[in-house]
Amino acid sequence: MIDLLAALGAIGGFSCVIAALDVAEAGQCRDGADLAIVETRDGSRYYAGNLPNAFLLEGHDSLLALTYGAARNQGAVLPQETVLSTFRHVAATIGDQQFGRPRLADDDQPGALPISYVRRLWPIVRQILDMNHVPVRRRPLAIGMAIELAFAIDEQRIDPLLAAQVVTECAVPMAKIDPRKIP
């Protein structure tokens, strides 16, 4: 279940940056705060700002809002500080070896890093979303609904707080990466 949640979180986070770039390419950014490009010393590019965060966390149908709602439905209480801590950690580690490494106990680590899930699964997920005519800006919602479903069908009964943390730790950094790095 941890691997499933990590994969969905990683892919869902990545879909947020794709959706944000779709808005930007359509010329619908209001200002530089909507989408900021962060370039590291090695020339890597990351994205930040209001747009990726809106798809990731800020709307009632955002990826993490759906995740946290599913966790609450199973009795979890997710302190806001936990979420903010992840955002701060991701921002502080951009361009660092710790970027994109889930901060989870050893026993709770997924089988791969979030970037590995995105590289391996995004082409397949994108094809499925394309075949089903899911608009780019609704893809975070669609994947968020898959996360909700994973919570609902979890027969192993993973702790819902841990489940939400796994999704968060995988989604937030993947909502920052440059899509040009993914085939």
Side-chain angles (χ1 to χ4, degrees), residues 47-71:
Y47 293 91
N50 296 333
L51 275 176
N53 289 344
F55 290 105
L56 184 62
L57 180 66
E58 294 171 1
H60 71 279
D61 61 354
S62 67
L63 184 85
L64 293 178
L66 295 171
T67 299
Y68 301 154

Side-chain angles (χ1 to χ4, degrees), residues 51-107:
L51 275 176
N53 289 344
F55 290 105
L56 184 62
L57 180 66
E58 294 171 1
H60 71 279
D61 61 354
S62 67
L63 184 85
L64 293 178
L66 295 171
T67 299
Y68 301 154
R72 275 191 302 276
N73 286 342
Q74 291 190 359
V77 177
L78 190 70
Q80 186 176 8
E81 180 53 36
T82 302
V83 178
L84 295 176
S85 170
T86 302
F87 274 84
R88 282 192 298 268
H89 174 74
V90 167
T93 59
I94 285 178
D96 185 308
Q97 288 183 342
Q98 291 303 309
F99 178 82
R101 294 189 179 278
R103 297 174 305 149
L104 301 165
D106 289 344
D107 290 346

Side-chain angles (χ1 to χ4, degrees), residues 105-129:
D106 289 344
D107 290 346
D108 299 328
Q109 286 291 329
L113 291 174
I115 190 71
S116 296
Y117 288 120
V118 172
R119 285 188 176 129
R120 191 171 351 134
L121 300 174
W122 178 251
I124 298 164
V125 171
R126 181 184 60 225
Q127 183 179 17
I128 292 167
L129 293 168

